[in-house]
Amino acid sequence: QVQLVESGGGLVQAGGSLILSCAASGIIASIHVMGWYRQAPGKQRELVAAITSGGSTNYADSVKGRFTISRDNAKRTVYLQMNSLKPEDTAVYYCNVRGSYGVATPRAPFDSWGQGTQVTVSS
């Protein structure tokens, strides 16, 4: 099985910064996309940022210019650098990784989620 471990959440004042990380483990053959989602109380889960195997990135309009997603292929880790944080960024952030795993052919697809990490921005 492919497991994801998240870290980096916490409490920060408005205007501050945090870095989230998510490490994938397992017999991973390839990773297609890694991304971050968030869910605030009373709201639906939304995509924050994603990065493909080719390096293409996509951001929610609300975080463009403030957040940066990156990946370390050797470490199988995705990061989310969050700057100029606002109270409306407060949410539980979830890591998501999609790809294929195993050594057999054809390889099996996977779509894994992290446990979630709380980000709270105070005003």
Side-chain angles (χ1 to χ4, degrees):
Q1 294 289 98
V2 176
Q3 294 181 308
L4 307 180
V5 179
E6 301 179 24
S7 63
L11 174 65
V12 65
Q13 293 184 350
S17 299
L18 285 173
I19 302 176
L20 305 183
S21 65
C22 173
S25 63
I27 307 175
I28 300 174
S30 63
I31 294 175
H32 176 62
V33 62
M34 308 180 83
W36 292 93
Y37 292 73
R38 68 185 181 188
Q39 186 167 21
K43 296 184 178 181
Q44 293 184 322
R45 186 175 298 187
E46 64 174 348
L47 175 68
V48 177
I51 184 167
T52 69
S53 60
S56 298
T57 58
N58 186 45
Y59 297 92
D61 289 339
S62 61
V63 306
K64 287 182 179 177
R66 299 188 297 119
F67 292 8
T68 302
I69 189 170
S70 62
R71 65 192 295 173
D72 186 325
N73 292 332
K75 296 181 178 180
R76 296 174 177 173
T77 300
V78 62
Y79 305 91
L80 185 67
Q81 174 69 58
M82 304 185 293
N83 297 325
S84 301
L85 283 162
K86 304 174 181 179
E88 48 263 46
D89 294 319
T90 296
V92 177
Y93 285 70
Y94 298 90
C95 177
N96 175 246
V97 179
R98 287 176 281 155
S100 62
Y101 74 96
V103 297
T105 302
R107 290 162 179 154
F110 73 88
D111 184 350
S112 297
W113 291 85
Q115 78 281 7
T117 184
Q118 177 70 48
V119 172
T120 302
V121 184
S122 64
S123 59

